[in-house]
Amino acid sequence: MPAHDVITMGRIGVDLYPLRTGVPLAQVDAFGKFLGGSATNVAVAAARLGRRAAVITRTGRDPFGDYLHQALREFGVDDHWVTPVDAYPTPVTFCEVFPPDDFPLYFYRQPKAPDLEIHPDELDLDAIRAARVFWMTGTGLCAEPSRSATLAALRARDRRGTTVFDLDWRPMFWDDAGPAARAHYAEALRYATVAVGNLDECEVAVGERDPDGAARALLDAGAELAVVKQGPKGVLAVHRDGTRAEVPPVPVEVVNGLGAGDAFGGALCHGLLAGWELTRVMRYANAAGAIVAARLACSSAMPYDDEVGQVVAGGPVPDQRPDQRPDQRPDQERQTAQEPTRSAAPPPAAGPTAAADPSAAPAATSPAAGPAQEAGA
């Protein structure tokens, strides 16, 4: 079997997204069901761009797990290393959609998510070594045995090819979100050749919020390429050899900022594999993120190469194709609602197993005031 272009490792689940925007979750009466999870979405994004992609993760042994396998195959992502866990249900995530920059997430991952039950002895280390790009996330470090498995994969890679650490900071997943988390991040950075994160994530990983300072700190920690997402200021990329690219965001009217960062990630992998110069890679990845920000869904909204090329060339963000909407009717995608308007306070998460993540939108897209959103990743 030929080596994969991209293998990702980390979160998977079912995203249940409102089919109308601007409606509080308590009043939503129709949802679309989508494949979700950041590492999984990155694999989908890479596959959409023509790369041979796979994901290492776990689901529950339940109908939602069956659905995720089906969706992965439809997206052209190898699901060979997606295995069931009897003890835990497949995670479900709800979101609210309040453009341009408010997209609360409610994670249902209790008592434990199956994707945190990846064990070191289950890994196909030969395939991980052989992949041209290996992509792992900070969430994979938050609990055992996933932490040990993620670090085992990184050690097996031993900085072969391109090894990407998506800083992906989700404090609600951590029992100890303090100094212990930074120590685990430092260990992973020793084996990463590329580090990607927004300013909040950089601060957690290396204690720096200034973009240039964060990039230098990530390089000092072991990365060869540091990619710092700056929201409405675009993206900064700095290579150890001194090459630097600072790319502004793409103006777009945001529909749903969730998933933009995953599109950016898949496009980043594609550009690095193509051997493009750094500025071209960043412009391409920014364009991919902007396209997804202008669409309702995440995984099914991931763009094709010709769509990204159109935006890079200065053209408009293309409408979503019917074949990019496997889980909903095309006429549902563009529905919006002005009423009822959102109350001043967000509705509480339902039940003790839900966790709202107010930092999710900045992690995924580039918030800016006004209807013409500047969406990077």
Side-chain angles (χ1 to χ4, degrees), residues 21-22 95-106 254-258 342-347 357-362 365 367-368 373:
T21 64
C95 80
E96 294 177 300
V97 182
F98 295 101
D101 60 1
D102 190 13
F103 309 103
L105 281 170
Y106 301 84
V254 169
V255 174
N256 184 0
L258 302 174
R342 190 184 187 189
S343 60
D357 181 14
S359 67
T365 189
Q373 184 79 356

Side-chain angles (χ1 to χ4, degrees), residues 110-202:
Q110 299 297 334
K112 187 178 186 181
D115 55 58
L116 296 177
E117 280 292 301
I118 303 171
H119 292 258
D121 60 2
E122 298 169 340
L123 298 175
D124 186 340
L125 295 179
D126 289 336
I128 290 170
R129 291 187 191 99
R132 298 176 67 193
V133 174
F134 177 67
W135 178 288
M136 47 73 62
T137 76
T139 294
L141 301 173
C142 76
E144 293 290 1
S146 172
R147 180 185 303 134
S148 292
T150 301
L151 293 172
L154 289 172
R155 294 185 188 109
R157 286 283 291 182
D158 196 21
R159 302 177 66 86
R160 287 178 176 85
T162 299
T163 302
V164 184
F165 182 4
D166 175 4
L167 302 181
D168 183 41
W169 176 241
R170 304 283 180 173
M172 73 288 297
F173 297 162
W174 290 74
D175 291 332
D176 182 357
R182 183 171 291 177
H184 297 314
Y185 270 57
E187 175 71 8
L189 282 167
R190 291 176 51 200
Y191 297 96
T193 63
V194 180
V196 183
N198 63 29
L199 295 176
D200 291 336
E201 292 166 337
C202 290

Side-chain angles (χ1 to χ4, degrees), residues 265-294:
L268 172 67
C269 293
H270 179 67
L272 293 174
L273 287 168
W276 296 340
E277 55 89 17
L278 193 57
T279 297
R280 181 180 179 187
V281 174
M282 293 302 115
R283 291 190 183 280
Y284 187 90
N286 254 6
I291 290 169
V292 173

Side-chain angles (χ1 to χ4, degrees), residues 28 127 187 207 227 310 363:
V28 173
E187 175 71 8
V227 180
Q310 174 178 313

Side-chain angles (χ1 to χ4, degrees), residues 153-363:
L154 289 172
R155 294 185 188 109
R157 286 283 291 182
D158 196 21
R159 302 177 66 86
R160 287 178 176 85
T162 299
T163 302
V164 184
F165 182 4
D166 175 4
L167 302 181
D168 183 41
W169 176 241
R170 304 283 180 173
M172 73 288 297
F173 297 162
W174 290 74
D175 291 332
D176 182 357
R182 183 171 291 177
H184 297 314
Y185 270 57
E187 175 71 8
L189 282 167
R190 291 176 51 200
Y191 297 96
T193 63
V194 180
V196 183
N198 63 29
L199 295 176
D200 291 336
E201 292 166 337
C202 290
E203 184 174 25
V204 170
V206 292
E208 288 281 354
R209 285 192 63 83
D210 171 75
D212 283 284
R216 286 193 300 271
L218 290 169
L219 296 178
D220 290 343
E224 296 175 8
L225 174 64
V227 180
V228 181
K229 306 179 204 177
Q230 304 176 75
K233 294 183 179 180
V235 62
L236 169 67
V238 181
H239 196 278
R240 185 181 296 278
D241 66 8
T243 307
R244 176 188 177 94
E246 192 156 11
V247 176
V250 176
V252 64
E253 186 171 347
V254 169
V255 174
N256 184 0
L258 302 174
D262 302 331
F264 180 100
L268 172 67
C269 293
H270 179 67
L272 293 174
L273 287 168
W276 296 340
E277 55 89 17
L278 193 57
T279 297
R280 181 180 179 187
V281 174
M282 293 302 115
R283 291 190 183 280
Y284 187 90
N286 254 6
I291 290 169
V292 173
R295 296 171 173 176
L296 180 62
C298 291
S299 54
S300 63
M302 296 299 170
Y304 294 98
D305 178 68
D306 63 314
E307 296 179 302
V308 183
Q310 174 178 313
V311 175
V312 170
V317 171
D319 289 336
Q320 197 164 351
R321 302 173 184 174
D323 66 326
Q324 291 167 304
R325 296 189 291 258
D327 298 302
Q328 58 185 308
R329 298 190 306 273
D331 63 332
Q332 289 177 316
E333 175 90 12
R334 296 297 179 182
Q335 288 185 23
T336 60
Q338 301 303 318
E339 298 293 343
T341 58
R342 190 184 187 189
S343 60
T353 62
D357 181 14
S359 67

